[in-house]
Amino acid sequence: MADTPFIARGFHGRRPAPGVRLPPGQYETRDFPVLSAGPTPRVSLATWDFTICDDAGHSKRWSWDDLQALPHDRPTVDIHCVTKWSKFGTHWEGVSVDTLLDGARAAGVSDGQFVLAFSDGGYTTNLPIADVTGGKAWIAFGYDGAPLAPEHGGPVRLLVPHLYFWKSAKWVRGLRILDRDERGFWEKLGYHDRGDPWREQRYQGD
Amino acid sequence: MARAAIPGRLDWRVATVVDVRTETARARTLTLEVPDWPGHTAGQHVDVRLVAEDGYQAQRSYSIASAPEESSVALMIERLDDAEVSPYLCDVLRVGDGLEVRGPIGGYFVWDVAQSGPLFLVAGGSGIVPLMAMLRHHARAAESTRAQAPAKLLYSARSWDDVIYREELERLADSPYVDVTLALTRDAPADWSGHRRRIDRAMLEETCWPASRTPRIFVCGPTPLVESAASLLVALGHDPVRVRTERFGPTG
């Protein structure tokens, strides 16, 4: 960076414990803070579904039971929120996005370079396809051995732990496959299109 | 070498602390002069960055308490014991010091008085801060504009002494277009005739505009309060898209 950092007079701070790797500007929390832009949606699993579609009219839909019948992963991952907290070693259960994309492809859904995740309540977020494939992203419905709580995105949220956590859309209902990037809810309001915490991509232009 | 600002990019700016004001035993307001401040909308926040001599840095987000019409930027800091940043901002930082900030950030939990129609604000604890920016903005509007955007605040605090901006809120409530209701949850003065409980359905029903008036609603505070109030408002018939939330507790 070209900037000379401004030293805060008398600030010493607290270094993370030895061996702990925190992205720049983040601090560790043991809690699981909740951040959402609106009320928590309540949905019935009987009518819940998950859809992957393209803009040519192809789509693949899974009911709750269909999703549960797919192979489950149990990733343990660190998560990083753009509001500065990071939480280490969180335990999740879900289905790999790779598995769902394979199913969508088999149903005729086109490939693309980007996805726009969409959720109950109208939330959206955009991601490069490369960030949700290769074993890096899940459709998660379990947290810490229990069903994912509504305030944390239950019944189902996207989990993309290597990006800032607003990309891990709560209450997710599907993915739109896109050839060109299309900004989601926070991205239209100035947040970064990719959101890599290690490169501190918090806002557009970072 | 100074770097030219890239349009659309949020650059760090070194602000100067021009005033420090004690709000409550645990909260204080820092008033900052920010060079080339681009202006903000009520409800937005800034990021604060503290860099130590060895290059270690910490960042936190703080809501802006001042109205967009004010030339300086006010942040309210609640002091948490044993935390990394808030004790520095409350105990060490003093008038004349520099402080790195960038912003304004956030474009959803925002309100402008020109969006006429009733406004309903629900605050818990330090969650009052972005809502105070909205009320201060409201107070600076022309009488006719204010009349088109009547505001009500329901504010929950632990005790009378924990009510941040208490005197200013009393003054604001002198306006026919502003209504302030306090709920004291733990401790109330002996002569207190207001609510002595947490925000609940009956309190929201009594305080908020009916859903038929389609108020714009902003709820800010600790997660349990926000989850509860937002769900109750939806149950009372308010469209979820009109209920905007920001969940924050004190930040270390």
Side-chain angles (χ1 to χ4, degrees), chain B residues 168-227:
Chain B
E168 187 176 351
L169 287 171
E170 284 172 354
R171 281 199 305 278
L172 289 173
D174 286 340
S175 159
Y177 312 117
V178 178
D179 189 76
V180 174
T181 304
L182 296 178
L184 304 180
T185 58
R186 281 197 199 164
D187 196 25
D191 59 349
W192 175 249
S193 58
H195 298 298
R196 293 170 182 263
R197 62 183 201 275
R198 291 174 189 278
I199 291 173
D200 56 21
R201 184 184 170 109
M203 211 185 286
L204 287 165
E205 199 163 14
E206 183 186 311
T207 317
C208 186
W209 314 90
S212 59
R213 296 228 22 219
T214 61
R216 292 173 202 280
I217 301 175
F218 295 85
V219 186
C220 187
T223 292
L225 179 146
V226 174
E227 280 292 318

Side-chain angles (χ1 to χ4, degrees), chain B residues 108-120:
Chain B
Y108 187 69
F109 196 85
V110 293
W111 180 78
D112 189 293
V113 71
Q115 302 169 305
S116 55
L119 174 69
F120 185 59

Side-chain angles (χ1 to χ4, degrees), chain A residues 14-106:
Chain A
R14 284 189 191 159
R15 311 299 182 276
V20 171
R21 284 187 71 226
L22 271 171
Q26 297 291 110
Y27 65 92
E28 185 188 357
T29 181
R30 304 289 170 98
D31 304 330
F32 193 173
V34 172
L35 289 112
S36 323
T40 296
R42 310 279 159 174
V43 295
S44 158
L45 293 182
T47 55
W48 183 91
D49 61 8
F50 187 84
T51 303
I52 297 183
C53 60
D54 61 24
D55 282 351
H58 310 104
S59 67
K60 165 73 180 170
R61 176 186 167 274
W62 292 264
S63 68
W64 175 257
D65 289 341
D66 296 337
L67 185 73
Q68 295 302 316
L70 295 171
H72 291 198
D73 286 350
R74 288 181 182 78
T76 295
V77 295
D78 302 337
I79 56 178
H80 309 286
C81 179
V82 73
T83 64
K84 320 294 183 301
W85 58 264
S86 292
K87 186 171 173 64
F88 296 120
T90 59
H91 304 290
W92 299 82
E93 181 170 0
V95 169
S96 169
V97 173
D98 293 303
T99 304
L100 296 163
L101 286 172
D102 286 346
R105 209 171 287 119

Side-chain angles (χ1 to χ4, degrees), chain B residues 33-49:
Chain B
E33 293 292 354
V34 189
D36 304 317
W37 178 245
H40 69 279
T41 307
Q44 289 188 294
H45 65 272
V46 295
D47 282 0
V48 168
R49 177 167 73 177

Side-chain angles (χ1 to χ4, degrees), chain B residues 17 20 42 45 59 61 66 71 74 92 95 98 102 104 123 131 138 165-166 174 176 182 191 202 211 219 229 238:
Chain B
V17 179
V20 169
H45 65 272
Q59 292 184 34
S61 298
S66 43
S71 60
V92 180
V95 170
R102 66 170 178 165
L131 309 182
H138 183 269
Y165 310 126
R166 197 175 62 208
D174 286 340
L182 296 178
D191 59 349
V219 186
H238 297 278

Side-chain angles (χ1 to χ4, degrees), chain B residues 12-40:
Chain B
W12 290 102
R13 300 163 201 269
V14 180
T16 303
V17 179
V18 294
D19 187 55
V20 169
R21 177 192 154 93
T22 298
E23 301 286 357
T24 68
R26 298 194 308 144
R28 80 175 192 171
T29 291
L30 302 176
T31 303
L32 308 174
E33 293 292 354
V34 189
D36 304 317
W37 178 245
H40 69 279

